[in-house]
């Protein structure tokens, strides 16, 4: 049997710390920061990275995928309505027809393929990192994100004086799902009003979420269920076509905003 190469703990630690620090330093400046690594954020990231843009996803959990892993009722299945099956085809995700116009796929298979597609396209991820605040410039244009390690938020207030870190970027996408955490920071400053998502109505909500995906404030795009929360659109339950198509639309909006500006070079 082949023996493992004699490399010890210090080399393992250096490989991790060095690799992390090099990437972190490089991504202090990016083209687009996507807050939230659920289906809409991952899809937006994949589409943007394919164009050569430098993309960073900020995700508070130690895993990516948000609500896409198990869909509804802890039953490991996700549904998509026509025409979103085209994205399943594009990502080589197997699926079956449930009834006319409705398709069902395995959550773990669909989610892991989407994550892989985003990573393959060049998206970088900061996991266990919590979006804390926004960076604002002239005219209250959003120009970055302020973040901290997720465990810091779990520490009692009286023993935490861990200042957050600021990252600069050209465009931020709020893909934080129902919470709409990024837009909420603008609301707290009286710059925007959030309506709050409406009652469940799947036939209406998917089209509306995709339609409302776009720039909500200079430098800030809203995508996925965050769009439902911001604009008061109906919620939709475990159906994901709108999340994927909203991610694509958010990427188109971000590309237009990046326009002729020179992209930051990814190393
Ligand atoms: O909730 P999530 O999956 O959002 P989405 O892309 O998709 C919604 C569907 O999953 C489902 C639905 C329709 O099908 O109703 O709910 O709109 O993913 C949001 C991600 O954002 C992360 C969170 O952990 C999740 O992975 N997130 C939320 N707040 C923060 C955050 C924060 N403050 N900092 C970093 N990540």
């Amino acid at each position: 049997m082949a023996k493992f190469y004699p490399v010890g703990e210090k080399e393992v630690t250096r490989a991790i710390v060095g690799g992390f620090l090099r990437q972190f330093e490089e991504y202090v400046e990016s083209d687009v920061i996507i807050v939230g690594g659920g289906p809409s954020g991952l899809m937006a990231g994949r589409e943007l990275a394919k164009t050569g843009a430098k993309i960073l996803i900020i995700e508070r959990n130690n895993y990516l995928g948000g609500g896409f892993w198990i869909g509804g009722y802890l039953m490991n299945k996700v549904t998509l309505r026509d025409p979103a099956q085209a994205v399943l085809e594009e990502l080589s995700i197997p699926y079956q027809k449930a009834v006319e116009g409705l398709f069902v796929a395995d959550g773990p298979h669909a989610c892991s393929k989407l994550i892989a597609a985003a990573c393959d396209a060049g998206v970088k991820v900061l996991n266990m990192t919590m979006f804390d605040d926004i960076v604002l410039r002239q005219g209250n244009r959003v120009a970055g994100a302020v973040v901290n390690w997720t465990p810091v938020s779990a520490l009692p207030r009286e023993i935490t004086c861990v200042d957050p870190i600021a990252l600069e970027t050209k465009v931020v996408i709020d893909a934080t799902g129902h919470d709409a955490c990024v837009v909420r920071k603008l609301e707290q400053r009286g710059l925007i009003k959030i309506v709050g998502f409406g009652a469940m109505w799947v036939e209406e909500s998917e089209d509306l979420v995709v339609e409302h995906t776009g720039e909500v404030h200079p430098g800030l795009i809203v995508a996925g269920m965050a769009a439902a929360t911001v604009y008061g659109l109906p919620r939709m339950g475990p159906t994901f076509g709108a999340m994927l198509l909203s991610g694509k639309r958010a990427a188109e909006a971000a590309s237009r905003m990046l326009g002729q500006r020179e992209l930051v070079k990814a190393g």
Side-chain angles (χ1 to χ4, degrees):
M1 212 164 63
K3 248 179 109 40
F4 283 104
Y5 200 81
V7 171
E9 286 78 6
K10 63 180 183 302
E11 286 83 7
V12 170
T13 303
R14 277 192 192 119
I16 289 173
V17 175
F20 175 81
L21 286 182
R22 277 191 295 280
Q23 187 177 299
F24 190 71
E25 190 179 9
E26 194 192 328
Y27 277 77
V28 159
E29 189 189 8
S30 59
D31 291 310
V32 181
I33 287 180
I34 299 169
V35 186
S40 63
L42 288 165
M43 195 73 230
R46 189 248 185 176
E47 296 297 289
L48 281 163
K50 277 199 313 185
T51 70
K54 189 175 174 184
I55 309 300
L56 182 66
I57 291 185
I58 306 287
E59 171 53 58
R60 69 180 168 192
N61 283 326
N62 64 345
Y63 61 90
L64 292 166
F68 203 29
W69 283 110
I70 50 173
Y73 336 115
L74 310 178
M75 286 187 192
N76 261 17
K77 297 282 179 193
V78 294
T79 60
L80 294 97
R81 297 191 306 149
D82 189 10
Q85 75 277 16
V87 184
L88 299 179
E89 301 273 354
E90 191 186 326
L91 299 177
S92 305
I93 298 167
Y95 64 93
Q96 286 101 41
K97 183 171 153 181
V99 292
E100 198 56 41
L102 182 68
F103 303 92
V104 63
D106 280 340
H109 205 160
C111 195
S112 52
K113 285 266 195 181
L114 177 58
I115 294 168
C119 296
D120 287 346
V123 170
K124 295 288 182 267
V125 180
L126 278 179
N127 274 112
M128 292 300 285
T129 303
M130 191 103 170
F131 168 82
D132 184 69
D133 208 347
I134 38 177
V135 175
L136 291 179
R137 293 275 188 267
Q138 288 87 347
N140 284 324
R141 185 182 174 82
V142 174
V146 180
V147 302
N148 217 332
W149 307 120
T150 298
V152 169
S153 66
L155 294 171
R157 269 260 163 259
E158 59 277 15
I159 62 158
T160 43
C161 0
V162 184
D163 261 330
I165 280 190
L167 307 168
E168 290 191 24
T169 196
K170 296 170 188 155
V171 177
V172 174
I173 299 178
D174 185 344
T176 58
H178 294 273
D179 296 345
C181 296
V182 186
V183 181
R184 225 165 262 295
K185 287 291 164 185
L186 292 174
E187 187 183 45
Q188 283 168 9
R189 295 187 171 87
L191 296 170
I192 210 168
K193 184 89 195 84
I194 293 178
V195 184
F197 61 83
M200 182 111 47
W201 189 5
V202 69
E203 283 115 306
E204 284 294 301
S205 59
E206 289 213 282
D207 291 310
L208 287 171
V209 162
V210 178
E211 232 170 77
H212 284 77
T213 298
E215 195 172 19
V216 63
H217 181 88
L220 178 63
I221 290 170
V222 68
M225 284 315 286
T229 297
V230 170
Y231 293 108
L233 313 176
R235 59 188 303 188
M236 65 185 68
T239 179
F240 289 86
M243 300 302 108
L244 302 177
L245 296 183
S246 167
K248 280 187 178 257
R249 193 171 160 111
E252 285 159 18
S255 286
R256 278 195 302 277
M257 286 158 72
L258 291 172
Q260 297 312 308
R261 294 169 73 174
E262 207 179 316
L263 297 179
V264 183
K265 269 254 162 307

